[in-house]
């Protein structure tokens, strides 16, 4: 039995209370912030972060880290935007599948290098981050694809509302459920935890560690690819520097959500709450009249506080080896 | 008979395995140096403007500031930690200096403030990592956002200019002929860090910690204290880089040095430092820094944009780590094959 629940822990409870307090607090200052209309807006604004966070979680669970997600997103987004501008007739469904496929392939490259070759994840994704970003320049020549070059359906699709919620948000909900099922019910999902919890034990349990890592990176890549289309269509522009630095926000969402960088610990609701926390802060600052320049500092403090609280709660459970080492000290 | 009466010659115990010529040739630094020479020669062939002392002198700005941080970062990574907040420390120190400069403070006070800011930021990182035993990658992702966030809060989308007379020397001054102040500083720092890592017991302790922190702890090494010192050193070098960069640009914006942390880590890893800790040498890092500077400059002369060069850097990074692993695996497989053949016959 894992010591951590895969569904809900004290961390998730605390975080949801924090997010709720934040919503209520901002609502006092500016009524309507926690109203249904704005909540839908907030959820929509956070959807891409949620999706990328879920993919990143799979990677971090296996003790990896994927710094290339934002570059993957930007490259995939550029490819589909270019196809759309050159051939507006290509149906959107094809572009969607293509986006996921390209993202998957880019993630699989990471997965192969980490899982099969055995290069540390941080080195691989640091490298592919630079490579994917550079490839955008190579294929686009540094040109921008602007709104008027995209077809109406390409730009409009994520904005269409189903049951009052934009399609963009539905993607997040759908992938959330998918990831939840994957983590809780499938062998691959459980293997993520096993590999991250103890790679050596996982090998003895007959789990192919490399293959598990490969799939984690591929899933992260596929999610990033989908977000490539979503991002480019949402902001109706594609250029080399799309989402630059966003990978750190994604990792921040995971860390705030209680995913342990040491692997093997983390939940889907935690990641969603972590992303929602960052999204709420981002949306709340201008509303309560604080300069948006505070956003970065607040996010940084939130990461540090989350990590410190988390470290404290983990200490009581502790790993046996470390605990013994500590008593001698 | 006299052979047996003679006292046995005491065999001297070597502290390392003897190296054959192939070992030396396959050493990381040698390979890296060969690549650097290759890049140098290729650049000379490709552009007539490359082999000009003043151009080459200008080219050193591509790596001196980053290289200074890479030296300290190498020690930190060897000890098994990492600092992603270095570029944000540059921004924080630069904003602090900029704000101070508006009060009319003289250059030496600005420099002291810049270095002190770096040192304090490094101490903050080190305390968080050791006090709460949190992985440094997470802590420094947090402080990376926090430090630059503070810079943004203080300065917004504004800019600090009007640095005092004499402050421009650090980033723009020449010691003599084409030798810049930055170059001299980098050379001195490289030698100092080389001595600390390879010739002092402090350096040996860094390796010990990187290879086995718990074992090092039981051997009486003050793991936490050394780690805090290493974080402070990295912070201090970021402060130094901040002084140089601010002086060179003559202005401060909160977005200063964005993305440098990844270039610096690339430099360190390319220099042969194991990202897992416990291995790596300063000469390798120095050569890697020069190599990256040469490449940036050469590509610049050929009008290749920096972003295309980053593709090469990325490929190189993965290749230099991945290829040795594949080669080692292939060799091991062949040895296993010959061994099983022997057993069968």
């Amino acid at each position: 039995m894992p010591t951590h629940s895969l569904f809900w822990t004290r961390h998730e409870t605390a975080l949801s209370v924090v997010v709720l307090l934040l919503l209520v607090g901002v609502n006092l200052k500016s009524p309507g912030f926690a109203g249904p209309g704005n909540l839908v807006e907030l959820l929509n604004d956070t959807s891409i972060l949620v999706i990328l966070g879920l993919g990143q979680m799979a990677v971090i669970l296996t003790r990896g880290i994927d710094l290339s997600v934002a570059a993957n997103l930007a490259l995939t987004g550029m490819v589909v935007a270019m196809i759309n501008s050159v051939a507006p007739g290509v149906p959107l469904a094809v572009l969607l599948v293509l986006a996921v496929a390209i993202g998957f392939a880019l993630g699989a490259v990471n997965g192969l290098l980490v899982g099969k070759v055995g290069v540390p994840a941080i080195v691989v994704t640091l490298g592919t981050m630079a490579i994917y970003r550079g490839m955008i320049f190579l294929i686009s020549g540094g040109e921008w694809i602007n709104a008027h070059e995209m077809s109406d359906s390409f730009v409009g699709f994520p904005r269409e509302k189903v049951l009052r919620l934009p399609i963009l948000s539905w993607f997040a909900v759908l992938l959330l459920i998918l990831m939840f099922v994957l983590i809780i019910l499938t062998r691959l999902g459980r293997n993520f935890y096993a590999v991250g919890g103890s790679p050596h034990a996982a090998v003895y349990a007959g789990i192919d560690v490399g293959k598990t890592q490969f799939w984690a990176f591929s899933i992260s890549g596929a999610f990033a690819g989908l977000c490539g289309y979503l991002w480019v269509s949402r902001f109706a522009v594609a250029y080399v520097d799309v989402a630059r630095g966003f990978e750190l926000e994604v990792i921040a969402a995971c860390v705030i959500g209680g995913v342990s960088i040491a692997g093997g610990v983390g939940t889907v609701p935690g990641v969603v709450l972590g992303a929602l926390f960052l999204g709420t802060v981002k949306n709340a600052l201008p509303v309560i009249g604080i300069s948006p320049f505070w956003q970065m500092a607040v996010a940084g403090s939130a990461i540090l506080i989350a990590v410190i609280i988390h470290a404290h709660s983990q200490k009581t459970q502790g790993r046996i080896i470390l605990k013994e080492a500590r008593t001698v000290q | 008979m006299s052979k047996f009466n003679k006292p046995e010659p005491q065999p001297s115990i070597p502290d390392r395995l003897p190296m054959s010529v192939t070992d030396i040739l396959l050493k990381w630094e040698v390979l890296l140096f060969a690549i650097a020479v290759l890049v140098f020669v290729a650049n000379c062939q490709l552009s007539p403007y490359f082999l000009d002392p003043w151009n080459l002198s200008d080219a050193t700005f591509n790596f001196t500031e980053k290289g200074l941080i890479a030296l300290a970062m190498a020690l930190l990574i060897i000890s098994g930690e990492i600092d992603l907040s270095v570029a944000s420390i540059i921004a924080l120190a630069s904003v602090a200096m900029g704000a101070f400069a508006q009060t009319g403070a003289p250059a030496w006070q600005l420099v002291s403030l810049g270095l002190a800011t770096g040192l304090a930021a490094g101490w903050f990182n080190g305390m968080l990592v050791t006090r709460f035993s949190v992985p440094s990658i997470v802590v420094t992702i947090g402080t990376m956002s926090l430090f630059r966030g503070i810079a943004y809060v203080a300065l917004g989308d504004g800019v600090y200019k009007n640095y005092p007379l004499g402050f421009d020397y650090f980033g723009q001054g020449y010691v003599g002929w084409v030798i810049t102040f930055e170059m001299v500083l980098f050379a001195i720092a490289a030698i100092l860090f080389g001595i600390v890592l390879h010739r002092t017991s402090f350096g040996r302790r860094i390796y010990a910690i990187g290879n086995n922190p718990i074992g090092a702890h039981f051997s009486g090494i003050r793991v936490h204290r050394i780690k805090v010192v290493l974080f402070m050193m990295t912070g201090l070098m970021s402060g130094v880089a901040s002084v140089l960069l601010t002086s060179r640009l003559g202005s401060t914006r909160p977005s200063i040095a964005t993305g440098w942390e990844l270039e610096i880590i690339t430099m360190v890893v390319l220099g042969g430092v194991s990202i897992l800790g416990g291995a790596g040498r300063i000469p390798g890092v120095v050569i890697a820094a020069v190599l990256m500077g040469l490449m940036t400059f050469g590509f610049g002369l050929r009008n290749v944009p920096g972003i295309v060069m980053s593709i090469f850097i990325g490929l190189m990074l993965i290749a230099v780590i991945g290829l040795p692993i594949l080669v080692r695996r292939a060799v091991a497989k062949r040895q296993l094959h010959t061994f099983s053949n022997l057993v069968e016959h």
Side-chain angles (χ1 to χ4, degrees):
Chain A
M1 267 307 283
T3 48
H4 271 260
S5 160
L6 303 188
F7 175 59
W8 197 268
T9 67
R10 272 184 304 175
H11 188 89
E12 278 74 30
T13 314
L15 193 56
S16 47
V17 170
V18 169
V19 173
L20 276 178
L21 282 178
L22 202 62
L23 285 173
V24 172
V26 177
N27 200 48
L28 286 178
K29 183 101 193 261
S30 152
F33 184 76
N38 196 53
L39 279 186
V40 166
E41 192 78 0
L42 202 153
L43 183 65
N44 201 42
D45 201 40
T46 317
S47 294
I48 290 178
L49 187 59
V50 168
I51 297 172
L52 290 176
L54 292 171
Q56 185 73 245
M57 175 182 132
V59 174
I60 298 181
L61 279 181
T62 65
R63 289 197 180 181
I65 192 158
D66 189 351
L67 295 171
S68 73
V69 278
N72 181 336
L73 177 160
L75 177 55
T76 314
M78 178 55 90
V79 171
V80 290
M82 283 176 80
I83 293 174
N84 183 252
S85 72
V86 174
V90 177
L92 199 58
V94 174
L95 286 182
L96 266 176
V97 172
L98 195 66
V100 175
I102 295 171
F104 182 90
L106 295 176
V109 171
N110 289 332
L112 279 176
L113 286 165
V114 175
K116 301 290 171 198
V117 181
V119 183
I122 187 168
V123 173
V124 168
T125 57
L126 204 59
T128 52
M129 177 174 89
I131 295 168
Y132 296 164
R133 196 57 84 174
M135 279 165 69
I136 308 171
F137 184 87
L138 285 186
I139 61 167
S140 71
E143 301 283 320
W144 291 40
I145 308 274
N146 291 305
H148 67 273
E149 292 165 83
M150 301 173 185
S151 68
D152 288 342
S153 63
F154 183 86
V155 177
F157 178 63
R159 289 177 175 73
E160 269 171 49
K161 293 197 172 177
V162 178
L163 297 174
R164 298 183 63 188
L165 214 55
I167 299 244
L168 174 57
S169 305
W170 279 113
F171 269 116
V173 173
L174 209 73
L175 289 176
L176 188 167
I177 296 168
L178 187 83
M179 199 64 191
F180 197 65
V181 170
L182 181 86
I183 291 278
I184 298 287
L185 293 181
T186 70
R187 183 180 291 176
L188 180 66
R190 309 305 295 237
N191 285 356
F192 288 156
Y193 286 91
V195 166
S198 173
H200 292 289
V203 171
Y204 284 113
I207 297 169
D208 188 336
V209 173
K211 205 180 200 172
T212 311
Q213 287 170 327
F214 170 81
W215 281 108
F217 277 98
S218 301
I219 289 171
S220 175
F223 282 18
L226 177 66
C227 287
Y229 162 70
L230 293 174
W231 185 294
V232 164
S233 62
R234 174 147 202 258
F235 297 103
V237 64
Y239 56 100
V240 173
D241 279 331
V242 158
R244 192 180 270 275
F246 199 67
E247 63 275 351
L248 293 169
E249 206 167 312
V250 174
I251 295 166
C254 288
V255 169
I256 293 173
V259 180
S260 167
I261 279 290
V265 179
T267 68
V268 170
V271 172
V272 175
L273 283 167
L276 281 178
F277 174 81
L278 285 177
T280 310
V281 169
K282 194 188 210 165
N283 280 275
L285 289 179
V287 172
I288 54 174
I290 295 177
S291 147
F293 289 117
W294 277 90
Q295 189 201 326
M296 220 175 184
V298 171
S301 316
I303 296 171
L304 294 178
I305 292 169
V307 160
I308 289 167
I309 292 173
H310 207 57
H312 192 68
S313 66
Q314 269 180 334
K315 227 171 223 173
T316 46
Q317 294 162 358
R319 286 188 189 155
I320 298 162
I321 304 168
L322 289 176
K323 215 169 194 177
E324 280 185 346
R326 205 169 267 132
T327 50
V328 175
Q329 189 179 39
Chain B
M1 283 298 126
S2 64
K3 200 177 165 193
F4 291 99
N5 293 335
K6 257 203 290 189
E8 283 268 338
Q10 282 292 320
S12 67
I13 300 163
D15 63 349
R16 61 193 69 184
L17 291 170
M19 291 183 90
S20 68
V21 179
T22 35
D23 284 339
I24 291 170
L25 282 181
L26 280 176
K27 258 181 92 167
W28 195 254
E29 287 92 339
V30 178
L31 286 175
L32 216 52
F33 188 72
I35 297 174
V37 170
L38 219 68
V39 170
F40 192 87
V41 171
N43 274 327
C44 291
Q45 296 294 317
L46 287 171
S47 170
Y49 305 108
F50 184 81
L51 206 59
D52 174 86
W54 288 100
N55 282 349
L56 281 176
S57 164
D58 265 1
T60 58
F61 288 117
N62 286 328
F63 67 83
T64 41
E65 290 143 8
K66 290 169 197 157
L68 280 167
I69 303 177
L71 293 171
M73 181 81 84
L75 268 55
L76 195 60
I77 292 182
I78 291 172
S79 84
E81 303 289 345
I82 197 163
D83 187 350
L84 294 174
S85 73
V86 282
S88 297
I89 298 179
I90 294 181
L92 186 63
S94 186
V95 166
M97 286 188 291
F100 198 33
Q102 307 311 307
T103 67
W108 69 269
Q109 286 183 2
L110 293 188
V111 174
S112 322
L113 180 68
L115 301 187
T117 310
L119 208 56
W123 174 81
F124 186 67
N125 280 333
M127 284 313 282
L128 286 179
V129 169
T130 54
R131 184 63 66 81
F132 299 103
S133 4
V134 185
S136 51
I137 187 163
V138 186
V139 167
T140 56
I141 283 177
T143 54
M144 170 183 180
S145 191
L146 178 64
F147 294 155
R148 199 178 284 280
I150 296 172
Y152 268 107
V153 169
L155 195 47
D157 50 6
V159 59
Y160 283 133
K161 278 187 267 191
N162 306 324
Y163 283 94
L165 208 68
F167 187 69
D168 58 341
Y169 178 77
F170 303 105
Q172 300 172 20
Y174 290 84
V175 172
W177 193 43
V178 295
I179 312 293
T180 62
F181 176 75
E182 292 202 3
M183 251 192 261
V184 174
L185 205 60
F186 178 67
I188 295 172
I191 293 168
L192 280 181
F193 273 96
I195 291 173
V196 166
L197 184 61
H198 300 302
R199 290 285 178 272
T200 67
S201 63
F202 182 78
R204 305 303 300 173
R205 287 185 187 145
I206 296 174
Y207 284 107
I209 293 170
N211 278 305
N212 186 349
I214 296 170
H217 174 72
F218 283 128
S219 314
I221 295 174
R222 298 198 206 181
V223 176
H224 282 183
R225 178 183 281 194
I226 289 181
K227 280 187 176 174
V228 172
V229 169
L230 291 178
F231 272 107
M232 287 171 77
M233 266 158 101
T234 310
L236 179 66
M237 294 315 275
S238 309
V240 173
S242 180
V243 170
L244 299 179
L245 183 62
T246 310
S247 155
R248 184 156 66 88
L249 301 176
S251 68
T252 296
R253 283 180 200 280
S255 60
I256 192 171
T258 305
W260 275 29
E261 63 279 342
L262 298 177
E263 278 183 63
I264 290 165
I265 292 166
T266 305
M267 235 175 225
V268 174
V269 173
L270 201 60
V273 173
S274 162
I275 198 85
L276 306 172
R281 298 174 53 79
I282 289 293
V285 177
V286 174
I287 300 171
V290 175
L291 173 64
M292 279 177 72
L294 282 178
M295 280 178 71
T296 314
F297 179 54
F299 277 106
L301 280 180
R302 304 286 301 164
N303 274 332
V304 178
I307 189 146
V308 175
M309 200 206 67
S310 71
I311 297 183
F312 282 91
I313 303 266
L315 284 173
M316 212 154 72
L317 182 66
I318 295 174
V320 294
I321 309 295
L323 285 180
I325 296 177
L326 288 179
V327 169
R328 233 175 292 143
R329 199 177 291 167
V331 169
K333 202 177 244 174
R334 195 195 293 164
Q335 282 172 346
L336 193 71
H337 192 68
T338 41
F339 178 72
S340 54
N341 273 351
L342 281 175
V343 173
E344 271 171 33
H345 297 303

